[in-house]
Amino acid sequence: MFSWAASLVSLQLPIVYCWAFSCYKTESSPGFSLPGDYLLAGLFALHADCLQVRHRPQVTRCDRPGSFNGHGYHLFQAMRFSIEEINNSTALLPNISLGYELYDVCSESANVYATLRVLAQQGTDHIEMQRDLHNYSSKVVALIGPDNTDHAVTTAALLGPFLMPLISYEASSVMLSEKRQYPSFLRTIPSDKYQVEVMVLLLRSFGWVWISLIGSYGDYGQLGVQALEELATPQGICIAFKDIVPFSAQANDLRMQQMMRHLALARTTVIVVFSNRHLAGVFFRSVVLANLTGKVWIASEDWAISTYITNVPGIQGIGTVLGVAIRQRLVPGLKEFEESYVRALKGAPRSCPEGSWCSTNQLCRECHAFTTQSIPMLGAFSMSAAYNVYQAVYAVAHGLHQLLGCTSETCSRGPVYPWQLLQQIYKVNFLLHKDTVAFDDSGDPLGDYNIIAWDWNGPEWTFEVIGSASLSPVQLDINKTKIQWHGKNNQAPTSVCSSDCLEGHHRVVVGSHHCCFECMPCEAGTFLNKSDLHICQPCGKEEWAPEGSTTCFSRTVVFLAWHDPISLVLLTANTLLLLLLFGTTGLFARHLHTPVVRSAGGRLCFLMLGSLAAGCCSFYGFFGEPTVPTCLLRQPLFSLGFAIFLSCLTIRSFQLVIIFKFSTKVPTFYHTWAQNHGASLFVIVSSTVHLLICLMWLAMWTPLPTKEYQLFPHLVILECTEVNSVGFLLAFTHNILLSISTFACSYLGKELPENYNEAKCVTFSLLLNFVSWIAFFTMTSIYQGSYLPAVYVMAGLTTLSGGFSGYFLPKCYVILCRPDLNNTEHFQASILDYTRRRGST
């Protein structure tokens, strides 16, 4: 389906071109195209738009009488001049020639047409839709322009999927910095947001937090006021009064008189005027008539150095005026280049060659009529924009220089895909006539502003540059000594609603403005951050603070350390028990075939001792700083080890009962049990069940290292999560059931021969087990601290010690101290005595 649609689109685009121009022959002017190894495209408004109703998608013919745009002409020449300068350079792109395709984008339709022409594949006049646009190869590698935001949005949207670099020289809208929508868009003019940021920094640098804000009707003033308010308010600047100068306002009319009264009642020393020149003139005529003096006025770049404002009668007495102005730059040699172009351009436009795709938007009839005396004046505004074009072309050239791996003498040649060049352009960082050319992650330039102050020498006005503002990030550098403040002492005025609070006291807002406040001390656990004096900030999780604090103190991190006295006692006891288990294992291995060891279970004893040893080893995970392995293993390992021990103990007691009580009464069951290894099967099944419980425990209620902050304000307790989780309780319940089973089997065997009667010892072991865990759960309900792992170890150690002492210790005593009882004759006599007693009953 995709390939069918792609073929259809590639078929239709040439038809669209033909329809757009009615398939007639066109004319073109020299200078709109230049062959080269790599082509750049340029979009410039050499003519004004033609506002007329269209009944079909026909591209506007830009070359119309009376629509010539001198500003766009200078930008057009700036690109040609830049390309020629680069081609004549031996340091940049040696042995590589750049060419260009320039288009007159006087309208939206002409802009779309030029963009589609730019996207056409090399050697063709159509766009082929491909699955992988990364390998798409168009006739140009980058595009310079267009001249305004409306055109730039369309062009950026069309070029975005192809990741073709688009560098605009005049589109300054903030929305174009959104890389998810316009991934290949860059620009050499600062974004609109930076002027607002500079103004806010200017206000903050003088501590002016109580201001009035005036804007002019229209996008420039209203959006500027909105952006300034949104940015200033979170940074502690209050706007006492805000208003917009109407479009139809006249000096000292009723609306302006009302505005002047509100400004006077606001009692603000600083007034920001974000306005165009025309309405700023109306506003300041009203200010002079209202005698609103002794203020500090912050000017936006549109009127900061405008003589239209400085010519207002009486304006020199309004106070101090500071402003933001765009720094002026020159393109050396551009004026001479334009004159040489006029001298070389003779005759009428040429006809489009037969069979070619000559664009109607590559024609400028007025350009053919120019003389060196009639060239449009290259003013400061056009020169600044021309420098932006100059920067854009050089940025592409430097990106291409890096992509082709150029040396001082030569460059490699090969296909260049737009996305490859885009990556390199983002990396460029070079000097161009002492100005650094680079882009941030949003594709915005690293430009700057000038900060100016008005200077009156009698009736003569001038301005002085008192500082500069670099962008991305915005940084302000002001020489405050250059400012001539109004007033007698030449001191910077203040503009606040309430005085600062004492240290450790925060501001409680009174009224609707957060700059008007009362002072209250910060509560315990909070501190006053100087970046936000209205709210006592809570300390970080690792910190705490007393009442009225300006800083937080680090919490003490606690856990059950190895060197803690309680830890040393428990470690000593655990190690001693572990040594006893190893010693018992060796003792039983040496006396494996003696009656005592065989009556205790024979080789099964090694499994029981090993399970107890595993439980002992798990306790070492409760000491020191918790880690993922220790949290995962310590409780499940102990629980599994003790479950295996209880399973062996249960089946051992049950097996003795079967041998002595049921082997003669139920011989079939006894033989079936013996032949199918019932004892081993029970131990395996029971242990497997407990293992599955532990695995489910680890999977669903995974114990992991964590930090506990809620118990103590000045402490951080390192522990494992899910100490008493559902998984732990399930495993504990299984061990309780095994303990009850062990007790029941031992009780059934209370009348067995003395050497096989383990009821008392097992009862003692299980009693210790129950008591220790009852004490543990009682302690956890009333205590939560760093010694909780020690409580667990103590309970577990008591349980394992009870199991060892109740079952193995008596047998070790017989082996070591009463070898006379460890013989076959004694055990046979005991069995014979049991048989006689059973027979007598």
Side-chain angles (χ1 to χ4, degrees), residues 38 86 91-96 98 141 186 393-408 410-417 419-431 436-439:
Y38 299 99
I86 292 169
L92 187 61
L93 294 175
N95 83 313
I96 293 292
L98 293 181
V141 295
L186 304 94
V393 175
Y394 265 88
V396 174
H398 277 268
L400 195 59
H401 187 91
Q402 297 173 9
L403 182 60
L404 297 178
C406 297
T407 64
S408 59
T410 184
C411 297
S412 62
R413 296 172 183 265
V416 171
Y417 294 109
W419 65 269
Q420 295 175 318
L421 182 56
L422 178 64
Q423 291 180 341
Q424 297 301 323
I425 293 176
Y426 266 104
K427 298 177 183 178
V428 299
N429 192 327
F430 60 93
L431 287 177
T436 300
V437 179
F439 301 95

Side-chain angles (χ1 to χ4, degrees), residues 212-215 241-246 249-268 271 273 279-293 295 297 318:
S212 293
L213 182 56
I214 303 297
F241 174 69
K242 179 182 68 172
D243 206 350
I244 299 296
V245 179
Q250 297 295 325
N252 210 35
D253 63 10
L254 185 61
R255 179 72 177 82
M256 296 305 298
Q257 289 180 15
Q258 184 181 15
M259 184 184 298
M260 296 303 110
R261 284 196 297 270
H262 285 304
L263 276 175
L265 293 174
R267 297 182 294 107
T268 56
I271 302 173
V273 183
L279 292 180
V282 175
F283 172 78
F284 281 108
R285 289 186 182 91
S286 301
V287 168
V288 172
L289 292 173
N291 196 26
L292 196 62
T293 60
K295 305 291 185 181
W297 308 88
I318 65 173

Side-chain angles (χ1 to χ4, degrees), residues 64 148 166 296 318 426 532 566 588 628 660 718 784:
R64 303 180 313 279
N148 61 64
L166 170 65
V296 176
I318 65 173
Y426 266 104
D532 188 355
I566 294 180
F588 273 43
V628 174
F660 285 99
L718 301 184
Q784 295 289 330

